mmCIF file of all heavy atoms in Angstrom:
data_model
loop_
_atom_site.group_PDB
_atom_site.id
_atom_site.type_symbol
_atom_site.label_atom_id
_atom_site.label_comp_id
_atom_site.label_asym_id
_atom_site.label_seq_id
_atom_site.Cartn_x
_atom_site.Cartn_y
_atom_site.Cartn_z
ATOM 1 N N THR A 8 131.135 -41.098 -185.458
ATOM 2 C CA THR A 8 130.433 -39.818 -185.506
ATOM 3 C C THR A 8 129.966 -39.304 -184.156
ATOM 4 O O THR A 8 129.569 -38.151 -184.047
ATOM 5 C CB THR A 8 129.223 -39.896 -186.448
ATOM 6 O OG1 THR A 8 128.352 -40.922 -185.990
ATOM 7 C CG2 THR A 8 129.652 -40.174 -187.863
ATOM 8 N N THR A 9 130.008 -40.134 -183.127
ATOM 9 C CA THR A 9 129.604 -39.651 -181.803
ATOM 10 C C THR A 9 130.799 -39.198 -180.978
ATOM 11 O O THR A 9 130.627 -38.703 -179.872
ATOM 12 C CB THR A 9 128.804 -40.725 -181.037
ATOM 13 O OG1 THR A 9 129.615 -41.890 -180.885
ATOM 14 C CG2 THR A 9 127.512 -41.056 -181.762
ATOM 15 N N GLY A 10 131.990 -39.341 -181.516
ATOM 16 C CA GLY A 10 133.187 -38.825 -180.861
ATOM 17 C C GLY A 10 133.393 -37.359 -181.229
ATOM 18 O O GLY A 10 132.718 -36.812 -182.108
ATOM 19 N N ALA A 14 132.013 -36.046 -184.801
ATOM 20 C CA ALA A 14 130.826 -35.190 -184.681
ATOM 21 C C ALA A 14 131.082 -33.809 -185.265
ATOM 22 O O ALA A 14 130.219 -33.240 -185.944
ATOM 23 C CB ALA A 14 130.398 -35.078 -183.219
ATOM 24 N N ARG A 18 129.110 -32.176 -188.451
ATOM 25 C CA ARG A 18 128.478 -30.845 -188.398
ATOM 26 C C ARG A 18 128.975 -29.957 -189.540
ATOM 27 O O ARG A 18 128.195 -29.248 -190.172
ATOM 28 C CB ARG A 18 128.736 -30.175 -187.050
ATOM 29 C CG ARG A 18 127.938 -30.814 -185.936
ATOM 30 C CD ARG A 18 128.000 -30.023 -184.633
ATOM 31 N NE ARG A 18 127.114 -30.649 -183.671
ATOM 32 C CZ ARG A 18 125.794 -30.500 -183.651
ATOM 33 N NH1 ARG A 18 125.206 -29.740 -184.540
ATOM 34 N NH2 ARG A 18 125.057 -31.124 -182.743
ATOM 35 N N ALA A 29 126.014 -41.166 -191.233
ATOM 36 C CA ALA A 29 126.720 -41.196 -189.951
ATOM 37 C C ALA A 29 126.560 -42.569 -189.322
ATOM 38 O O ALA A 29 125.461 -42.955 -188.933
ATOM 39 C CB ALA A 29 126.157 -40.120 -189.027
ATOM 40 N N VAL A 30 127.652 -43.307 -189.221
ATOM 41 C CA VAL A 30 127.611 -44.650 -188.633
ATOM 42 C C VAL A 30 127.793 -44.530 -187.122
ATOM 43 O O VAL A 30 128.754 -43.925 -186.653
ATOM 44 C CB VAL A 30 128.709 -45.548 -189.231
ATOM 45 C CG1 VAL A 30 128.640 -46.951 -188.639
ATOM 46 C CG2 VAL A 30 128.593 -45.605 -190.755
ATOM 47 N N VAL A 31 126.841 -45.098 -186.371
ATOM 48 C CA VAL A 31 126.906 -45.078 -184.909
ATOM 49 C C VAL A 31 126.674 -46.481 -184.363
ATOM 50 O O VAL A 31 125.930 -47.263 -184.938
ATOM 51 C CB VAL A 31 125.863 -44.112 -184.295
ATOM 52 C CG1 VAL A 31 126.078 -42.692 -184.759
ATOM 53 C CG2 VAL A 31 124.455 -44.554 -184.589
ATOM 54 N N ARG A 32 127.336 -46.800 -183.261
ATOM 55 C CA ARG A 32 127.090 -48.081 -182.590
ATOM 56 C C ARG A 32 125.731 -48.033 -181.913
ATOM 57 O O ARG A 32 125.257 -46.961 -181.528
ATOM 58 C CB ARG A 32 128.150 -48.341 -181.524
ATOM 59 C CG ARG A 32 129.492 -48.727 -182.069
ATOM 60 C CD ARG A 32 130.453 -48.844 -180.932
ATOM 61 N NE ARG A 32 130.418 -47.544 -180.236
ATOM 62 C CZ ARG A 32 131.242 -47.188 -179.285
ATOM 63 N NH1 ARG A 32 132.142 -48.003 -178.845
ATOM 64 N NH2 ARG A 32 131.161 -45.996 -178.721
ATOM 65 N N PRO A 33 125.102 -49.185 -181.720
ATOM 66 C CA PRO A 33 123.799 -49.207 -181.046
ATOM 67 C C PRO A 33 123.849 -48.603 -179.637
ATOM 68 O O PRO A 33 122.876 -48.031 -179.175
ATOM 69 C CB PRO A 33 123.436 -50.687 -180.977
ATOM 70 C CG PRO A 33 124.311 -51.378 -181.946
ATOM 71 C CD PRO A 33 125.517 -50.520 -182.151
ATOM 72 N N THR A 34 124.991 -48.709 -178.975
ATOM 73 C CA THR A 34 125.119 -48.235 -177.597
ATOM 74 C C THR A 34 125.690 -46.825 -177.488
ATOM 75 O O THR A 34 125.914 -46.339 -176.380
ATOM 76 C CB THR A 34 126.022 -49.197 -176.803
ATOM 77 O OG1 THR A 34 127.309 -49.255 -177.444
ATOM 78 C CG2 THR A 34 125.415 -50.585 -176.719
ATOM 79 N N SER A 35 125.917 -46.177 -178.609
ATOM 80 C CA SER A 35 126.558 -44.855 -178.587
ATOM 81 C C SER A 35 125.662 -43.773 -177.991
ATOM 82 O O SER A 35 124.450 -43.776 -178.192
ATOM 83 C CB SER A 35 126.943 -44.417 -180.003
ATOM 84 O OG SER A 35 127.984 -45.195 -180.490
ATOM 85 N N ASP A 36 126.284 -42.848 -177.299
ATOM 86 C CA ASP A 36 125.623 -41.644 -176.812
ATOM 87 C C ASP A 36 125.632 -40.658 -177.981
ATOM 88 O O ASP A 36 126.687 -40.207 -178.407
ATOM 89 C CB ASP A 36 126.402 -41.084 -175.621
ATOM 90 C CG ASP A 36 125.819 -39.798 -175.079
ATOM 91 O OD1 ASP A 36 124.873 -39.250 -175.691
ATOM 92 O OD2 ASP A 36 126.316 -39.333 -174.040
ATOM 93 N N ARG A 37 124.476 -40.329 -178.489
ATOM 94 C CA ARG A 37 124.371 -39.515 -179.707
ATOM 95 C C ARG A 37 124.209 -38.020 -179.435
ATOM 96 O O ARG A 37 123.876 -37.267 -180.337
ATOM 97 C CB ARG A 37 123.197 -40.006 -180.549
ATOM 98 C CG ARG A 37 123.343 -41.449 -180.960
ATOM 99 C CD ARG A 37 122.198 -41.865 -181.839
ATOM 100 N NE ARG A 37 122.146 -43.305 -181.941
ATOM 101 C CZ ARG A 37 121.273 -43.950 -182.670
ATOM 102 N NH1 ARG A 37 120.367 -43.289 -183.354
ATOM 103 N NH2 ARG A 37 121.283 -45.265 -182.716
ATOM 104 N N ARG A 38 124.465 -37.577 -178.226
ATOM 105 C CA ARG A 38 124.262 -36.159 -177.887
ATOM 106 C C ARG A 38 125.014 -35.210 -178.807
ATOM 107 O O ARG A 38 124.527 -34.123 -179.101
ATOM 108 C CB ARG A 38 124.677 -35.880 -176.451
ATOM 109 C CG ARG A 38 123.643 -36.320 -175.439
ATOM 110 C CD ARG A 38 124.088 -35.957 -174.067
ATOM 111 N NE ARG A 38 125.141 -36.921 -173.698
ATOM 112 C CZ ARG A 38 125.759 -36.948 -172.543
ATOM 113 N NH1 ARG A 38 125.489 -36.041 -171.637
ATOM 114 N NH2 ARG A 38 126.660 -37.860 -172.272
ATOM 115 N N ARG A 39 126.182 -35.600 -179.258
ATOM 116 C CA ARG A 39 126.962 -34.713 -180.123
ATOM 117 C C ARG A 39 126.321 -34.514 -181.493
ATOM 118 O O ARG A 39 126.704 -33.626 -182.239
ATOM 119 C CB ARG A 39 128.382 -35.238 -180.271
ATOM 120 C CG ARG A 39 129.210 -35.077 -179.022
ATOM 121 C CD ARG A 39 130.660 -35.398 -179.291
ATOM 122 N NE ARG A 39 131.490 -35.051 -178.155
ATOM 123 C CZ ARG A 39 132.286 -35.897 -177.521
ATOM 124 N NH1 ARG A 39 132.352 -37.157 -177.914
ATOM 125 N NH2 ARG A 39 133.009 -35.502 -176.506
ATOM 126 N N LEU A 40 125.337 -35.342 -181.813
ATOM 127 C CA LEU A 40 124.631 -35.209 -183.094
ATOM 128 C C LEU A 40 123.271 -34.539 -182.933
ATOM 129 O O LEU A 40 122.531 -34.416 -183.915
ATOM 130 C CB LEU A 40 124.456 -36.593 -183.737
ATOM 131 C CG LEU A 40 125.742 -37.363 -184.038
ATOM 132 C CD1 LEU A 40 125.416 -38.746 -184.586
ATOM 133 C CD2 LEU A 40 126.633 -36.597 -184.982
ATOM 134 N N ASP A 41 122.958 -34.084 -181.716
ATOM 135 C CA ASP A 41 121.670 -33.431 -181.475
ATOM 136 C C ASP A 41 121.460 -32.257 -182.435
ATOM 137 O O ASP A 41 122.376 -31.478 -182.693
ATOM 138 C CB ASP A 41 121.577 -32.923 -180.031
ATOM 139 C CG ASP A 41 121.303 -34.032 -179.036
ATOM 140 O OD1 ASP A 41 121.026 -35.170 -179.462
ATOM 141 O OD2 ASP A 41 121.389 -33.756 -177.817
ATOM 142 N N GLY A 42 120.250 -32.195 -182.960
ATOM 143 C CA GLY A 42 119.885 -31.119 -183.873
ATOM 144 C C GLY A 42 120.186 -31.412 -185.331
ATOM 145 O O GLY A 42 119.846 -30.619 -186.206
ATOM 146 N N LEU A 43 120.830 -32.530 -185.599
ATOM 147 C CA LEU A 43 121.186 -32.877 -186.981
ATOM 148 C C LEU A 43 120.345 -34.014 -187.543
ATOM 149 O O LEU A 43 120.492 -34.366 -188.714
ATOM 150 C CB LEU A 43 122.661 -33.291 -187.067
ATOM 151 C CG LEU A 43 123.704 -32.253 -186.699
ATOM 152 C CD1 LEU A 43 125.085 -32.876 -186.776
ATOM 153 C CD2 LEU A 43 123.610 -31.060 -187.620
ATOM 154 N N GLU A 44 119.485 -34.596 -186.725
ATOM 155 C CA GLU A 44 118.785 -35.825 -187.087
ATOM 156 C C GLU A 44 118.085 -35.752 -188.435
ATOM 157 O O GLU A 44 118.076 -36.727 -189.182
ATOM 158 C CB GLU A 44 117.775 -36.213 -186.001
ATOM 159 C CG GLU A 44 118.406 -36.560 -184.676
ATOM 160 C CD GLU A 44 118.659 -35.349 -183.776
ATOM 161 O OE1 GLU A 44 118.475 -34.195 -184.231
ATOM 162 O OE2 GLU A 44 119.045 -35.550 -182.625
ATOM 163 N N LEU A 47 120.880 -35.566 -191.762
ATOM 164 C CA LEU A 47 121.840 -36.614 -192.122
ATOM 165 C C LEU A 47 121.174 -37.965 -191.969
ATOM 166 O O LEU A 47 120.063 -38.064 -191.469
ATOM 167 C CB LEU A 47 123.107 -36.519 -191.260
ATOM 168 C CG LEU A 47 122.993 -36.570 -189.745
ATOM 169 C CD1 LEU A 47 122.826 -37.966 -189.225
ATOM 170 C CD2 LEU A 47 124.238 -35.954 -189.153
ATOM 171 N N ARG A 48 121.845 -38.988 -192.418
ATOM 172 C CA ARG A 48 121.318 -40.353 -192.306
ATOM 173 C C ARG A 48 122.117 -41.084 -191.238
ATOM 174 O O ARG A 48 123.300 -41.352 -191.427
ATOM 175 C CB ARG A 48 121.446 -41.079 -193.636
ATOM 176 C CG ARG A 48 120.685 -40.406 -194.744
ATOM 177 C CD ARG A 48 120.954 -41.077 -196.048
ATOM 178 N NE ARG A 48 120.615 -40.172 -197.141
ATOM 179 C CZ ARG A 48 120.460 -40.548 -198.382
ATOM 180 N NH1 ARG A 48 120.613 -41.813 -198.707
ATOM 181 N NH2 ARG A 48 120.171 -39.675 -199.310
ATOM 182 N N VAL A 49 121.478 -41.344 -190.126
ATOM 183 C CA VAL A 49 122.130 -42.090 -189.052
ATOM 184 C C VAL A 49 121.937 -43.569 -189.335
ATOM 185 O O VAL A 49 120.817 -44.035 -189.526
ATOM 186 C CB VAL A 49 121.543 -41.720 -187.671
ATOM 187 C CG1 VAL A 49 122.139 -42.609 -186.588
ATOM 188 C CG2 VAL A 49 121.800 -40.246 -187.370
ATOM 189 N N VAL A 50 123.048 -44.283 -189.375
ATOM 190 C CA VAL A 50 123.028 -45.713 -189.649
ATOM 191 C C VAL A 50 123.620 -46.426 -188.446
ATOM 192 O O VAL A 50 124.762 -46.175 -188.070
ATOM 193 C CB VAL A 50 123.866 -46.047 -190.910
ATOM 194 C CG1 VAL A 50 123.837 -47.536 -191.181
ATOM 195 C CG2 VAL A 50 123.393 -45.250 -192.102
ATOM 196 N N VAL A 51 122.832 -47.281 -187.822
ATOM 197 C CA VAL A 51 123.323 -48.040 -186.677
ATOM 198 C C VAL A 51 124.146 -49.206 -187.219
ATOM 199 O O VAL A 51 123.669 -49.984 -188.047
ATOM 200 C CB VAL A 51 122.162 -48.546 -185.800
ATOM 201 C CG1 VAL A 51 122.690 -49.397 -184.656
ATOM 202 C CG2 VAL A 51 121.356 -47.363 -185.272
ATOM 203 N N GLY A 52 125.391 -49.280 -186.770
ATOM 204 C CA GLY A 52 126.268 -50.329 -187.266
ATOM 205 C C GLY A 52 127.481 -50.495 -186.374
ATOM 206 O O GLY A 52 127.648 -49.796 -185.383
#
Side-chain angles (χ1 to χ4, degrees):
T8 58
T9 60
R18 288 190 175 281
V30 181
V31 300
R32 286 176 304 189
T34 59
S35 291
D36 178 353
R37 300 183 195 182
R38 282 183 285 182
R39 288 189 171 124
L40 300 176
D41 283 352
L43 298 177
E44 295 86 352
L47 57 80
R48 300 174 200 196
V49 174
V50 180
V51 177

